[in-house]
């Protein structure tokens, strides 16, 4: 490996320093991934370290797959025994291997966000808790923080003040964990917490992994939480052959529990740390980096570094002030249309998901293809979750939640009353739900629905046998056909058509997974491995960079990506920085880092914009431009101002539009290209862009923008 020709001096230092702790401060676009790949190859090919003694933790499954692919194709390295993956996938693998030291068996189910909320609803019902007083998302966030801090239910009040609210949350936490264990299930946070506690409490297992993983590399270290810090520290603290790579200027996930102190204090946590700064940027021209450097230097909590580039450009960042958010959307889409030969080189970045709507409407009006990144995950769609529930039960018969989802899906006459009888029978006889379903005594107990339950039990036994014998794609196809899922959704409704397409896509995805797994590992995957690969996917893993469409995404979802042309919109006080961050210097610094991440996604051009006014549900807000814009020197930005109207107040009420002044009226007949003829039930707004509630002749109710319908 002629490293001097392939890497710059700082990258070369990262690759060749293999003993002792090393902190790599890798600025945006500085070749971080390249350095990690070359360092792994150097350890194996040059230093003859066995791949099984190396642990590489990546931020996404996509990054792990890329590392494996590059090692195989470029360096001819067999990656079969190399441990590489996300924290969650690595932890799941350890917990399955060491399950005898835990309350779980090796086939435990991983609960995603939708499963977690579903289980929590049952906990609330059992404990008679009002979700209005204890909102699901708030309680989920609290439990997640407790787990990331390695606080078990039994230790809850050692770290939390006792009051009515915390006492109720504690009851929820206790019951939630109890049901998870009963179901042989873990949520994402359990994977981290249980691994950290296992390594901490079990000396034999801890020493096993300390000896096994003699060289440890952690990517995106600035995004680690306390549980992840402990896992790394417990494995690497003896030999200290630990390389962490990250950028404190791109730490934007504190709301997920990430702690920037992990990277800021690394030189205190380990002895004789070598710190290497990767500051040469290979992505953006210097003109863009000058603006980014100018912004981020205003943060106090950071290692000092300054990005530079050999890429030259005379183009300044363009900053445009628009009259309102609709003008902003129209002009941005008009600009993107100029790049129509390669739409996927363009991205619109915004602070909150709600900001996408006005841009989506503008794209549709202009008939320009677009893709919203980070929307509903393919595997979270109902029709896919139903199939996954069957697969989960075949892997883990203790998964009562999945069994209850499928026992009457598709409908087979086993309703709530029958299910309650089955549950009572299981409790009375101390049986798992599946054991109760398949027991002889249940048929007499359940009464007139016995035949239906017996049919279901026989089918489940048959499918279980086939799941063990058949290849995964063949079994999934057989299961879908015998469940007649496509027939279930057969109709002219566009949503049902989409469901059938999703089911077919799921079948294709299972085939692709098995083919890739076979190439990578040299053997056929087990159903457990397939389910785990699905459940641990992130938004970025589902991002299709080759789809020919303009991209819409939040600034958080843009991290790790790059585009020729970046449009950063909604740069107003209250949006960026977000109103929730204005009272905390720590949160304000994170908002600044978020803006920095957005700017440094660009390979050629950056367009920034804000609106003088922005409509909310009932008001029009008059806005000030983001305070962050004033931190960028004017020499790096070209301003294009729109004539500003006189602004009497920050906020005024929206004028009520009388019915006789609206372009559309209640009772008017219209026609839509997809849904056919219908009648207008209500009109929100005026002109062609009014939002209409329409009752179509097939009984479907839809809310549609007026530009997409035709008057009759």
């Amino acid at each position: 490996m002629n490293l001097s020709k392939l890497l710059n001096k700082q990258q070369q230092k990262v690759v060749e320093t293999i003993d002792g702790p090393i902190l790599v401060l890798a600025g945006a676009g500085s070749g971080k991934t390249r350095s990690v790949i070359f360092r792994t190859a150097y350890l194996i090919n040059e230093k003859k370290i066995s791949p099984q003694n190396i642990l590489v933790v990546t931020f996404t499954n996509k990054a792990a797959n890329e590392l494996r692919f590059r090692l195989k194709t470029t360096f001819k390295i067999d990656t079969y025994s190399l441990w590489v993956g996300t924290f969650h996938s690595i932890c799941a693998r350890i917990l399955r291997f060491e399950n005898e030291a835990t309350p779980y068996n090796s086939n435990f189910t991983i609960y995603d966000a939708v499963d977690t909320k579903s289980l929590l609803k049952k906990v609330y019902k059992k404990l008679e808790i009002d979700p209005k007083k204890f909102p699901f998302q708030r309680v989920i966030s609290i439990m997640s923080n407790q787990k990331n801090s390695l606080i078990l239910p039994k230790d809850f009040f050692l770290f939390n003040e006792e009051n009515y609210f915390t006492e109720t949350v504690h009851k929820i936490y206790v019951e939630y964990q109890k049901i998870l264990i009963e179901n042989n299930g873990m949520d994402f946070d359990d994977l981290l917490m249980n691994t950290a506690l296992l390594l901490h409490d079990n000396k034999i297992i801890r020493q096993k992994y300390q000896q096994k993983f003699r060289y440890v590399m952690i990517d995106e270290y600035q995004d680690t939480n306390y549980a992840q810090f402990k896992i790394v520290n417990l494995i690497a603290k003896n030999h200290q052959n630990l390389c962490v790579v990250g950028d404190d200027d791109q730490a934007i996930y504190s709301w997920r529990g990430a702690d920037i102190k992990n990277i800021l204090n690394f030189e205190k946590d380990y002895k004789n740390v070598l710190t290497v700064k990767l500051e040469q940027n290979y992505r953006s021209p210097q003109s863009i980096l000058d603006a980014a450097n100018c912004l981020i230097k205003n943060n106090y909590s950071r290692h000092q570094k300054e990005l530079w580039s050999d890429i030259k450009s005379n183009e300044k960042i363009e900053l445009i002030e628009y009259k309102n958010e609709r003008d902003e959307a129209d002009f941005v889409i008009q600009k993107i249309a100029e790049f129509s030969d390669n739409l996927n080189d363009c991205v619109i970045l915004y602070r909150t998901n709600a900001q996408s709507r006005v841009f989506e409407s503008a794209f549709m009006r202009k008939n320009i293809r677009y893709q919203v990144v980070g929307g509903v995950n393919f595997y979270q769609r109902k029709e896919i979750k139903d199939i996954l529930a069957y697969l989960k039960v075949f892997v883990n018969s203790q998964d009562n939640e999945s069994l209850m989802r499928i026992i009457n899906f598709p409908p087979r006459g086993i309703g709530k009353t029958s299910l309650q009888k089955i549950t009572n029978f299981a409790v009375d006889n101390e049986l798992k739900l599946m054991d109760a379903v398949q027991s002889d005594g249940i048929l007499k107990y359940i009464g007139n629905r016995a035949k239906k339950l017996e049919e279901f039990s026989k089918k489940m036994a048959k499918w279980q046998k086939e799941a063990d014998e058949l290849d995964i794609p063949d079994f999934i196809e057989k299961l879908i056909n015998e469940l007649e899922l496509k027939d279930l959704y057969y109709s002219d409704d566009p949503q049902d058509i989409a469901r059938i397409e999703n089911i077919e896509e799921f079948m294709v995805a299972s085939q692709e997974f098995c083919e890739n797994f076979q190439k990578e590992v040299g053997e056929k995957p087990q159903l457990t491995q397939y389910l785990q690969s699905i459940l641990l996917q992130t938004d970025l893993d589902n991002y299709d960079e080759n789809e020919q469409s303009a991209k819409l995404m939040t600034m958080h979802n843009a991290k790790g990506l790059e585009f020729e042309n970046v449009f950063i919109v909604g740069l107003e006080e209250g949006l960026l920085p977000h109103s929730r961050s204005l009272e905390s210097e720590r949160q304000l610094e994170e908002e600044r880092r978020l803006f920095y991440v957005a700017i440094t996604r660009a390979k050629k051009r950056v367009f920034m914009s804000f609106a003088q006014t922005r409509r909310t549900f009932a008001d029009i807000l008059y806005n000030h431009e983001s305070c962050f814009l004033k931190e960028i020197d004017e020499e790096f930005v070209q301003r294009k101002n729109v004539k500003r109207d006189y602004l009497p107040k920050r906020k005024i009420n929206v004028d009520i539009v009388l019915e006789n002044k609206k372009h559309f009226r209640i009772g008017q007949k219209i026609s839509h290209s997809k849904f056919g003829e219908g009648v207008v039930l209500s009109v929100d707004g005026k002109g062609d862009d009014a939002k209409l509630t329409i009752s179509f002749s097939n009984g479907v109710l839809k809310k549609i923008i007026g530009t997409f319908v035709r008057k009759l």
Side-chain angles (χ1 to χ4, degrees):
M1 297 172 65
N2 192 340
L3 296 179
S4 60
K5 288 186 177 181
L6 298 169
L7 306 170
N8 65 38
K9 289 183 179 180
Q10 295 302 98
Q11 291 171 335
Q12 191 174 342
K13 187 183 292 185
V14 172
V15 170
E16 294 179 331
T17 306
I18 65 169
D19 295 321
I22 175 172
L23 170 63
V24 183
L25 298 170
S30 63
K32 168 175 65 73
T33 302
R34 184 178 179 83
S35 301
V36 171
I37 292 170
F38 269 78
R39 191 173 193 272
T40 308
Y42 183 81
L43 283 167
I44 297 168
N45 284 351
E46 301 297 320
K47 294 300 179 180
K48 307 304 178 187
I49 306 299
S50 172
Q52 66 182 355
N53 295 132
I54 300 172
L55 171 64
V56 184
V57 181
T58 59
F59 192 62
T60 65
N61 295 297
K62 193 172 186 178
N65 292 335
E66 181 185 351
L67 188 143
R68 285 184 180 277
F69 177 77
R70 295 266 294 274
L71 289 175
K72 286 182 71 173
T73 57
T74 305
F75 299 100
K76 312 302 179 188
I77 292 173
D78 182 359
T79 60
Y80 172 70
S81 61
L82 176 69
W83 280 55
V84 56
T86 63
F87 266 105
H88 291 93
S89 64
I90 295 293
C91 289
R93 190 173 175 184
I94 290 173
L95 291 169
R96 292 195 196 281
F97 280 152
E98 311 298 344
N99 70 284
E100 291 184 1
T102 75
Y104 307 86
N105 68 43
S106 62
N107 291 328
F108 60 79
T109 298
I110 298 173
Y111 280 46
D112 62 19
V114 175
D115 299 326
T116 293
K117 189 172 181 179
S118 175
L119 179 56
L120 207 56
K121 287 179 180 178
K122 294 177 181 177
V123 171
Y124 276 44
K125 186 176 181 180
K126 181 177 180 179
L127 299 179
E128 298 182 340
I129 291 172
D130 185 354
K132 292 180 180 178
K133 294 180 180 178
F134 296 86
F136 290 123
Q137 204 52 51
R138 186 179 178 191
V139 172
I140 289 170
S141 178
I142 292 171
M143 291 196 301
S144 177
N145 289 334
Q146 299 304 302
K147 293 182 182 185
N148 288 333
S149 301
L150 306 184
I151 300 173
L152 292 165
K154 65 182 179 65
D155 302 319
F156 187 84
F157 288 114
L158 296 177
F159 301 92
N160 296 279
E161 181 183 340
E162 288 193 53
N163 54 49
Y164 171 70
F165 182 83
T166 57
E167 286 172 358
T168 306
V169 171
H170 177 244
K171 289 178 185 176
I172 295 169
Y173 187 16
V174 169
E175 186 64 25
Y176 174 78
Q177 290 302 109
K178 176 186 171 185
I179 297 176
L180 275 177
I181 293 174
E182 288 174 353
N183 283 270
N184 191 34
M186 298 188 208
D187 63 24
F188 292 160
D189 297 313
D190 285 323
L191 294 174
L192 302 178
M193 178 179 72
N194 289 336
T195 303
L197 294 176
L198 177 66
L199 293 172
H200 180 270
D201 297 340
N202 193 308
K203 183 179 179 181
I204 294 174
I205 292 176
R206 179 171 68 250
Q207 289 177 340
K208 171 184 173 180
Y209 287 97
Q210 287 174 343
Q211 292 167 10
K212 178 177 179 58
F213 298 134
R214 291 165 45 208
Y215 294 90
V216 180
M217 279 182 277
I218 312 295
D219 194 10
E220 303 288 3
Y221 192 65
Q222 78 281 352
D223 295 326
T224 53
N225 58 36
Y226 179 70
Q228 292 163 330
F229 165 81
K230 288 300 293 183
I231 292 167
V232 174
N233 186 257
L234 288 165
I235 290 173
K237 69 178 180 180
N238 285 349
H239 57 65
Q240 299 216 0
N241 294 329
L242 171 63
C243 173
V244 300
V245 184
D247 182 8
D248 41 48
D249 289 336
Q250 296 185 74
I252 58 173
Y253 294 120
S254 67
W255 50 279
R256 288 182 181 172
D259 191 346
I260 193 175
K261 288 187 292 187
N262 288 348
I263 194 168
L264 294 177
N265 293 340
F266 185 79
E267 290 150 311
K268 298 177 183 176
D269 295 329
Y270 296 88
K271 298 176 181 178
N272 303 317
V273 174
L274 172 67
T275 300
V276 180
K277 296 181 182 180
L278 302 183
E279 296 172 291
Q280 182 174 1
N281 177 286
Y282 294 93
R283 176 189 298 156
S284 310
Q286 188 62 49
S287 55
I288 290 175
L289 299 181
D290 286 338
N293 288 330
C294 207
L295 171 75
I296 202 63
K297 70 181 182 183
N298 291 280
N299 271 9
Y300 174 77
S301 299
R302 65 187 294 261
H303 290 90
Q304 293 300 314
K305 59 186 127 18
E306 188 158 326
L307 293 179
W308 62 274
S309 174
D310 285 333
I311 304 171
K312 304 300 180 185
S313 173
N314 293 324
E315 288 192 60
K316 291 185 176 182
I317 291 177
E318 201 171 281
L319 173 60
I320 307 175
E321 177 183 19
Y322 294 107
K323 185 176 180 180
N324 55 49
E325 77 274 20
R326 287 178 55 195
D327 282 355
E328 181 182 42
D330 287 340
F331 281 103
V332 167
I333 272 64
Q334 182 179 321
K335 191 73 176 178
I336 286 176
E338 297 174 13
F339 304 110
S340 58
D341 289 342
N342 207 349
L343 286 174
N344 59 351
D345 279 342
C346 300
V347 66
I348 298 174
L349 302 180
Y350 37 79
R351 176 61 179 84
T352 65
N353 281 304
Q355 291 171 255
S356 73
R357 183 197 61 81
V358 67
F359 290 96
E360 291 188 70
S361 298
F363 273 120
M364 288 189 285
R365 286 198 299 272
K366 297 287 186 180
N367 198 27
I368 296 175
R369 287 179 60 85
Y370 71 93
Q371 175 190 4
V372 180
V373 179
V376 177
N377 186 309
F378 175 80
Y379 293 102
Q380 300 292 349
R381 291 175 168 86
K382 179 191 178 299
E383 60 274 16
I384 305 302
K385 292 282 289 182
D386 290 332
I387 302 171
L388 289 175
Y390 274 95
L391 301 184
K392 288 178 184 179
V393 173
F394 298 137
V395 166
N396 174 20
S397 61
Q398 293 177 232
D399 188 351
N400 294 337
E401 298 305 309
S402 294
L403 178 58
M404 291 175 75
R405 183 182 184 114
I406 64 172
I407 198 167
N408 197 40
F409 178 84
R412 50 176 61 93
I414 305 174
K416 290 183 178 179
T417 302
S418 299
L419 188 56
Q420 187 60 55
K421 288 182 179 180
I422 297 168
T423 304
N424 292 341
F425 181 86
V427 172
D428 292 344
N429 292 275
E430 298 182 352
L431 295 171
K432 297 295 182 186
L433 204 58
M434 178 55 84
D435 294 336
V437 167
Q438 296 179 329
S439 69
D440 295 331
I442 189 68
L443 298 180
K444 291 182 180 179
Y445 185 85
I446 200 172
N448 59 2
R449 293 295 177 184
K451 187 175 180 181
K452 299 289 186 183
L453 185 63
E454 186 178 21
E455 289 174 358
F456 172 71
S457 177
K458 287 180 179 178
K459 284 183 178 180
M460 290 297 288
K462 168 182 170 291
W463 287 329
Q464 179 71 69
K465 186 172 182 294
E466 291 170 344
D468 295 335
E469 294 174 350
L470 297 176
D471 290 346
I472 292 171
D474 295 337
F475 172 66
I476 288 175
E477 182 179 8
K478 186 176 178 64
L479 178 68
I480 288 170
N481 289 337
E482 293 185 9
L483 287 170
E484 299 179 342
L485 292 185
K486 293 182 186 178
D487 293 339
L488 183 69
Y489 296 119
Y490 185 78
S491 77
D492 293 329
D493 188 324
Q495 290 185 339
D496 283 340
I497 293 171
R499 288 188 179 104
I500 293 173
E501 291 172 348
N502 289 336
I503 291 170
E504 291 174 344
E505 180 63 26
F506 180 75
M507 294 162 68
V508 172
S510 69
Q511 184 74 48
E512 290 178 350
F513 170 82
C514 292
E515 289 172 357
N516 293 333
F517 190 94
Q518 183 99 26
K519 288 178 185 176
E520 182 65 44
V521 179
E523 60 185 40
K524 293 179 181 179
Q526 297 176 351
L527 191 53
T528 304
Q529 294 166 315
Y530 176 55
L531 285 174
Q532 182 169 303
S533 74
I534 290 173
L535 294 166
L536 296 183
Q537 284 197 357
T538 66
D539 289 334
L540 287 180
D541 290 321
N542 298 307
Y543 165 64
D544 183 2
E545 60 187 11
N546 296 315
E547 180 179 320
Q548 288 299 314
S549 59
K551 304 300 187 286
L552 283 163
M553 66 183 78
T554 64
M555 297 176 189
H556 284 101
N557 279 326
K559 188 166 173 290
L561 303 178
E562 58 182 33
F563 300 88
E564 300 279 318
N565 308 292
V566 173
F567 296 81
I568 308 173
V569 301
L571 291 174
E572 300 141 27
E573 289 288 299
L575 279 178
L576 189 76
H578 197 277
S579 56
R580 291 196 301 266
S581 69
L582 297 177
E583 296 180 2
S584 163
E585 185 63 31
R586 179 182 60 81
Q587 291 179 327
L588 193 64
E589 288 204 352
E590 181 153 330
E591 293 288 297
R592 188 180 284 112
R593 291 194 292 268
L594 191 57
F595 189 19
Y596 173 82
V597 166
I599 294 173
T600 54
R601 299 309 93 199
K603 296 167 70 175
K604 282 190 177 179
R605 305 174 190 89
V606 174
F607 303 90
M608 303 191 301
S609 60
F610 63 95
Q612 295 175 5
T613 64
R614 187 170 297 272
R615 182 172 179 168
T616 63
F617 175 70
D619 301 301
I620 290 179
L621 300 180
Y622 285 88
N623 305 308
H624 294 301
E625 67 179 68
S626 169
C627 59
F628 294 150
L629 292 173
K630 299 179 178 65
E631 297 176 351
I632 302 175
D633 289 349
E634 292 184 5
E635 64 178 296
F636 306 131
V637 177
Q638 179 184 1
R639 281 183 175 260
K640 291 187 177 180
N641 295 321
V642 176
K643 184 178 179 182
R644 194 176 182 95
D645 292 342
Y646 172 65
L647 307 180
K649 294 181 181 178
R650 288 276 291 167
K651 183 197 283 191
I652 64 171
N653 290 329
V654 178
D655 292 333
I656 297 173
V657 183
L658 299 176
E659 286 294 327
N660 60 6
K661 297 232 178 139
K662 293 180 178 179
H663 188 67
F664 292 92
R665 57 183 174 76
I666 295 173
Q668 187 169 37
K669 292 184 178 180
I670 56 85
S671 175
H672 187 274
S673 59
K674 281 188 179 179
F675 305 115
E677 293 184 5
V679 177
V680 176
L681 298 184
S682 70
V683 182
D684 180 11
K686 59 184 177 180
D688 286 331
D689 291 333
K691 185 184 290 183
L692 311 177
T693 301
I694 302 169
S695 173
F696 288 96
S697 56
N698 60 2
V700 173
L701 285 177
K702 293 285 182 183
K703 288 191 175 183
I704 297 176
I705 302 298
T707 50
F708 297 102
V709 301
R710 180 171 58 86
K711 293 181 182 179
L712 295 178

